[in-house]
C-alpha cells in the first residue's frame, strides 16, 4: 500500500540551528501539506503546496519556515533558525484532491535544546 | 474561523465496552467531517468521513453521523477491542475550491483511548 514517508523520525537540534525535515509523498498525489503538533496540543496546519508553489499558509508559517519540492519526489520543510517553541511533532501529508483524503506520514519529532 | 472541539481524554475502557467520543464544530461554510486515528508510533490514518448533513461514516465498526442541527460528529463503537487503543482526532475540511487550491484540515485536540483486556 502506498504511504507517505518522513525522515528522520526524531531530530534533536540546538537553538538557532537550521533543520530540514524530509517527506516523500505518495507518487501520484498533487497536494502536499505540513502540520505540526506541540506535545499535548492540537494538530495545527502550517502550509499547503500545489503546482510547485505555496497554496495556503497559517500565521505560524513565518519567514523562518520554507518549503520546497526540489526533485519532484521529496517535499521538505526548512526551519531557518530554530527556537525552543519549534519543538513539536511535524507531520507531512499528501492528497490527490481534497484535503480530507490526505494521507499522513508517521511524523518527525523535532526537539530543540 | 473554523474550530473543532473534542471531549477531553484520556478515555479508559474495558474490552467490549461501548465507546463514544464527542466532537462538535464551528464552521463558516459547509465542511466535510472526518475522524483520524493515530496508533502508537504511526502517522494519522483516515478512519471515516461524512461529506454532508445526515451522512453516516463507518469503518472497522466505528460510526459517526454528521449532525448539522447540533454541529456534532460523535464517534461511536459498540464493542471496543484492545487493538483500538490509539489517539482519535476529529477534523473538518473543505474540498478544493479550484484545482489550484489545497485546502487544509482543522483538527481537534485528539482523544487518547486505552482499552484494557
Amino acid at each position: 500500500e502506498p504511504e507517505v514517508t518522513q525522515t528522520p523520525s526524531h531530530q534533536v537540534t540546538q537553538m538557532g540551528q537550521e533543520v530540514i525535515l524530509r517527506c516523500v509523498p505518495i507518487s501520484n498525489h498533487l497536494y502536499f501539506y505540513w502540520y505540526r503538533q506541540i506535545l499535548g496540543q492540537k494538530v495545527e496546519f502550517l502550509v499547503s503546496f500545489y503546482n510547485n508553489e505555496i497554496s495556503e499558509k497559517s500565521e505560524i508559517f513565518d519567514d523562518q519556515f520554507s518549503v520546497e519540492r526540489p526533485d519532484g519526489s521529496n517535499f521538505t520543510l526548512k526551519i531557518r533558525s530554530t527556537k525552543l517553541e519549534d519543538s513539536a511533532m511535524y507531520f507531512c501529508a499528501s492528497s490527490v484532491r481534497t484535503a480530507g483524503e490526505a494521507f499522513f506520514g508517521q511524523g518527525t519529532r523535532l526537539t530543540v535544546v | 474561523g473554523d474550530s473543532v472541539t473534542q471531549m477531553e481524554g484520556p478515555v479508559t475502557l474495558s474490552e467490549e465496552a461501548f465507546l463514544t467520543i464527542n466532537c462538535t464544530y464551528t464552521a463558516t461554510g459547509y465542511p466535510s467531517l472526518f475522524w483520524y486515528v493515530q496508533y502508537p508510533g504511526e502517522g494519522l490514518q483516515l478512519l471515516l468521513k461524512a461529506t454532508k448533513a445526515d451522512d453516516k461514516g463507518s469503518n472497522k465498526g466505528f460510526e459517526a453521523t454528521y449532525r448539522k442541527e447540533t454541529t456534532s460528529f460523535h464517534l461511536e463503537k459498540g464493542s471496543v477491542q484492545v487493538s483500538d487503543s490509539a489517539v482519535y482526532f476529529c477534523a473538518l475540511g473543505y474540498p478544493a475550491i479550484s484545482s489550484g487550491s489545497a485546502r487544509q484540515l482543522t483538527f481537534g485536540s485528539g482523544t487518547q483511548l486505552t482499552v484494557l483486556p
Side-chain angles (χ1 to χ4, degrees):
Chain A
E1 187 176 322
E3 60 180 15
V4 176
T5 55
Q6 290 185 244
T7 54
S9 57
H10 190 191
Q11 174 137 13
V12 181
T13 189
Q14 289 201 324
M15 192 169 55
Q17 295 296 304
E18 175 184 287
V19 295
I20 297 176
L21 309 183
R22 301 181 193 280
C23 169
V24 179
I26 295 173
S27 61
N28 64 331
H29 285 188
L30 301 177
Y31 300 91
F32 313 109
Y33 312 84
W34 284 101
Y35 292 82
R36 78 172 185 191
Q37 185 182 28
I38 295 171
L39 189 63
Q41 297 186 24
K42 292 188 178 191
V43 177
E44 301 172 296
F45 168 73
L46 293 177
V47 66
S48 60
F49 194 84
Y50 171 77
N51 200 26
N52 286 319
E53 61 183 25
I54 289 174
S55 182
E56 294 191 44
K57 60 182 181 179
S58 71
E59 61 274 10
I60 302 168
F61 194 87
D62 61 21
D63 292 343
Q64 296 288 353
F65 291 89
S66 62
V67 289
E68 202 175 34
R69 190 156 158 80
D71 56 12
S73 168
N74 291 283
F75 179 51
T76 62
L77 174 69
K78 182 192 291 186
I79 308 175
R80 225 178 309 278
S81 176
T82 50
K83 304 188 280 284
L84 294 176
E85 54 265 37
D86 294 328
S87 296
M89 181 74 89
Y90 287 81
F91 292 105
C92 173
S94 68
S95 66
V96 174
R97 248 181 340 116
T98 63
E101 293 165 4
F103 288 75
F104 283 76
Q106 80 281 14
T108 293
R109 180 166 297 286
L110 176 66
T111 303
V112 182
V113 298
Chain B
D2 297 343
S3 67
V4 176
T5 303
Q6 283 182 241
M7 67 184 281
E8 299 261 336
V11 173
T12 303
L13 296 173
S14 297
E15 208 165 22
E16 299 183 4
F18 184 84
L19 168 71
T20 300
I21 300 178
N22 290 337
C23 171
T24 57
Y25 68 92
T26 58
T28 52
Y30 300 96
S32 298
L33 301 174
F34 309 91
W35 278 99
Y36 278 81
V37 58
Q38 184 180 28
Y39 298 103
E42 298 184 18
L44 297 167
Q45 301 174 27
L46 179 64
L47 180 61
L48 54 85
K49 68 177 184 180
T51 57
K52 61 183 188 299
D54 300 325
D55 269 3
K56 179 187 280 188
S58 61
N59 186 25
K60 299 182 182 178
F62 291 90
E63 292 183 341
T65 301
Y66 189 162
R67 302 276 187 213
K68 191 160 175 270
E69 64 277 11
T70 54
T71 61
S72 65
F73 193 55
H74 305 321
L75 182 68
E76 296 182 336
K77 186 174 186 183
S79 175
V80 293
Q81 305 300 312
V82 172
S83 56
D84 293 326
S85 298
V87 182
Y88 292 81
F89 294 90
C90 186
L92 68 80
Y94 299 87
I97 54 176
S98 69
S99 63
S101 172
R103 302 292 299 274
Q104 73 274 16
L105 293 166
T106 300
F107 283 91
S109 54
T111 302
Q112 171 79 55
L113 170 67
T114 301
V115 180
L116 303 175

